[in-house]
Amino acid sequence: MQTVYSVGVRLGRGAIGLIALKAAEGLQRASILSRLIVGAHEGVLAPDVRSLGLINRGLKRLAFMEPSGQATDWTDVVFDVWAQGQVSACDVFHGWGNMCLRQLRAAHRHGARTIVERATTHVLMQAELLAEEADRWGLKRPLTVQSAVRRGVAENAESDYVIVPSRFAYDSFVVHGTPLARIILNPFGVDINRFRPPTQRRSGPFRALFVGLVSAQKGVPDLLEAWKRAAIPDGELHIAGLIGKEMPPLLAPFRDLPGVRFIGHIDPAQAYRDADVFIFPSIQEGSALVTYEAMASGLPVIVTPNCGSIARDGEHGFVVPIREPDRLAECLIALARNPEQRAAMGAAGRRHVEQYTWEQYGARLASAHQRIARGESPDGPDWLIYAKGA
């Protein structure tokens, strides 16, 4: 069988680029990847790679600098317009959400079955949650959301299958009327060799860690309010990541909060090993990679259901409803006071996440493609073991 895989980003760069790289590697190991269509790449994985190259890199740089988000939307459309002409005859076409509407139509003309990868929730739920959060904090709503929503809805309607990485994302598609038989659930993965527990935890004050874009979407205002209410003696909260353009007014009330350090964009592997707890109270994710990384590093996690985490409440940490700083504070206090509980939850999380390596992710994806090509349900026995319990 033959698969064409398409993603309009630089392969291996950023979260989407990393996920796409691991997917392509898995499809290549199964010898079913016939063509790879990408925004840009370094090195060749498939027998046939088509890349927009410097044009894509230039558009992505423009999108990064343009504050409204409009350029990001244009970049996705430009990629799709170009990439539709690169879609070849295949059994399965796999494209990324908001980047593949025209390619889906081209693939159907070739007689292929089609999959849209949605790394977040259903586009309507995503738009609703982000609009609520913007209104909650008095922020300007994203200008591009309606055009992106319309394209996402059209892609969902025109694809044969939608693939999502978490039960939270899965349920969002069910709520919005997608038939169960069309939804594929495949959690992401993690490099369990790069992200690993330290041989010995550091001594010193209790340290909580956040890793990600410092934004309202990631729940940072709730995190800082929770830290203020927890008032852990000598405690430290390290916040690693770039600060979103909208955030300075929201951060101002917490600038003098004891123990808080904004440490910028870093390689987080060592930061995980130097922390006691990972906290990520996000409002909307598909399945945040940082939660896998923290668990692989042996940390108990405090997350929301909306993170799409594979963590189980009370076993690998705590799963707290969104927008509840009081509950976040209670969890922080409980773990700060109980190092034995932290150690037990962190060890359990590490054992659990070992089922979610990138190799296993790629193998599950390849299995789904093969079953779809044969006209079978993508939910094979291996899928049920790993995905349905997530």
Side-chain angles (χ1 to χ4, degrees), residues 43-70:
V44 176
L45 282 171
D48 186 358
V49 180
R50 304 297 173 93
S51 171
L52 190 54
L54 291 177
I55 295 174
N56 182 263
R57 293 187 187 187
L59 289 171
K60 289 293 184 182
R61 182 169 297 180
L62 174 64
F64 178 78
M65 295 185 295
E66 199 272 320
S68 74
Q70 188 71 51

Side-chain angles (χ1 to χ4, degrees), residues 250-320:
L250 300 185
L251 296 178
F254 303 105
R255 279 297 183 184
D256 297 324
L257 199 58
V260 176
R261 287 186 57 200
F262 291 87
I263 59 178
H265 182 66
I266 61 168
D267 182 336
Q270 188 59 49
Y272 292 124
R273 289 193 285 271
D274 288 339
D276 297 300
V277 168
F278 180 73
I279 183 165
F280 194 74
S282 186
I283 305 302
Q284 192 278 146
E285 306 283 338
S287 190
L289 296 183
V290 290
T291 62
Y292 295 76
E293 294 167 0
M295 292 173 69
S297 302
L299 290 179
V301 297
I302 303 172
V303 296
T304 63
N306 299 29
C307 288
S309 172
I310 60 171
R312 296 172 182 164
D313 185 40
E315 186 175 349
H316 310 129
F318 298 107
V319 181
V320 178

Side-chain angles (χ1 to χ4, degrees), residues 16-27:
I16 293 176
L18 173 63
I19 296 161
L21 173 64
K22 298 305 180 181
E25 289 174 347
L27 297 172

